[in-house]
Amino acid sequence: MRINDVLRDKGDRVVTVTPDLTVQGLLATLAEHGIGAAVVTADGTTVDGIVSERDIVRSLAERGAAVLTEPVSAIQTTRVHTVEPDADLAEIERLMTERRFRHVPVVTGGRLAGIVSIGDVVKKRITELEGEASALSGYITGERP
Ligand code: AMP
């Protein structure tokens, strides 16, 4: 299964923020959309960074509430791991497990084309396993699902 298959189901919409947005503004964006991370981009298409709730927690613990008025660029991760739409889903699973992050932006031709979260991966795997279980059960019982 490919990343494209995941994006086909969930769509290619990505919530982005600009690097100069304050951390307070970022909190409002994450809360509004019910998400845990946003891609940081100055021009709306190039990935400049990624910022997740973990970055907020870490910086709050280190520097206190003053962080809330700092720009997102002060707490973002700039070395972002991205994947191409034709990458295998297994590649993203490996990346998330080894690097311990839950979001991977999808990029094609240098432009942001979607985002895949660990929730999307798990959902896709469950659907896949249910399909396999149903096919096996049909094979054993002779009933076609
Ligand atoms: P997450 O588990 O996605 O909330 O992120 C955990 C940490 O990894 C945070 O410091 C994020 O900024 C960072 N992070 C999240 N996704 C990526 C990614 N695709 N590439 C690099 N760092 C990331």
Side-chain angles (χ1 to χ4, degrees), residues 43-113:
D43 63 10
T45 56
T46 314
V47 177
D48 298 327
I50 191 162
V51 67
S52 94
E53 49 205 1
R54 288 214 183 143
D55 300 308
I56 300 171
V57 169
R58 190 183 308 122
S59 57
L60 274 174
E62 285 168 4
R63 307 203 287 281
V67 161
L68 296 176
T69 55
E70 290 181 18
V72 161
S73 57
I75 68 164
Q76 70 182 352
T77 300
T78 48
R79 288 189 58 192
V80 184
H81 290 266
T82 60
V83 287
E84 295 276 336
D86 64 351
D88 203 280
L89 191 60
E91 184 186 323
I92 227 175
E93 290 171 348
R94 207 166 32 247
L95 202 56
M96 285 176 163
T97 308
E98 283 170 7
R99 306 284 176 153
R100 299 176 66 106
F101 45 61
R102 298 164 292 179
H103 304 86
V104 180
V106 184
V107 169
T108 180
R111 297 171 69 89
L112 188 58

Side-chain angles (χ1 to χ4, degrees), residues 1-9 84-93 120-129 131-132:
M1 187 168 311
R2 313 231 158 243
I3 301 303
N4 249 333
D5 301 317
V6 179
L7 294 185
R8 201 172 303 121
D9 288 349
E84 295 276 336
D86 64 351
D88 203 280
L89 191 60
E91 184 186 323
I92 227 175
E93 290 171 348
D120 301 324
V121 173
V122 170
K123 194 172 158 200
K124 202 74 192 163
R125 279 288 178 231
I126 288 174
T127 308
E128 202 175 49
L129 286 172
E132 280 174 19

